[in-house]
Amino acid sequence: MTATRTDRLETIKEIVCDILEIEEDEVTETSLFKEDHGADSLRAIEILAALEKEFGVVINQTELPRMVNLDGVYAVVAEPAGW
């Protein structure tokens, strides 16, 4: 079975919430990791590394500025993953 956008977004959300140590109901697709959830650059790199491992992709660190919320993270992962 092919994963849907919703399935992949849920996986991304789980990874982000685990690393940021927040509850899943606190995060929306557009809530900002840094401003709304107190993420720092180290956490962003942890999220990037976890996503690479989970989805088997390589993400350039120059993409970090785009990874400000779930929508941004999905877009960044979708490119190398070919979604």
Side-chain angles (χ1 to χ4, degrees), residues 34-55:
K34 184 177 179 181
E35 291 81 352
D36 298 332
H37 307 298
D40 58 20
S41 57
L42 183 60
R43 295 268 193 244
I45 292 170
E46 286 181 55
I47 291 168
L48 186 143
L51 293 168
E52 287 181 328
K53 183 176 180 184
E54 175 69 30
F55 295 107

Side-chain angles (χ1 to χ4, degrees), residues 10-78:
E10 189 60 34
T11 301
I12 290 169
K13 186 175 190 176
E14 288 170 12
I15 290 169
V16 167
C17 290
D18 185 49
I19 291 170
L20 297 183
E21 299 175 358
I22 53 178
E23 297 298 319
E24 288 191 33
D25 60 3
E26 294 179 52
V27 178
T28 66
E29 288 186 32
T30 56
S31 64
L32 301 173
F33 300 151
K34 184 177 179 181
E35 291 81 352
D36 298 332
H37 307 298
D40 58 20
S41 57
L42 183 60
R43 295 268 193 244
I45 292 170
E46 286 181 55
I47 291 168
L48 186 143
L51 293 168
E52 287 181 328
K53 183 176 180 184
E54 175 69 30
F55 295 107
V57 296
V58 176
I59 302 167
N60 194 311
Q61 286 194 10
T62 60
E63 298 292 349
L64 283 172
R66 293 176 55 203
M67 297 172 62
V68 294
N69 57 28
L70 290 179
D71 276 347
V73 171
Y74 187 92
V76 167
V77 177

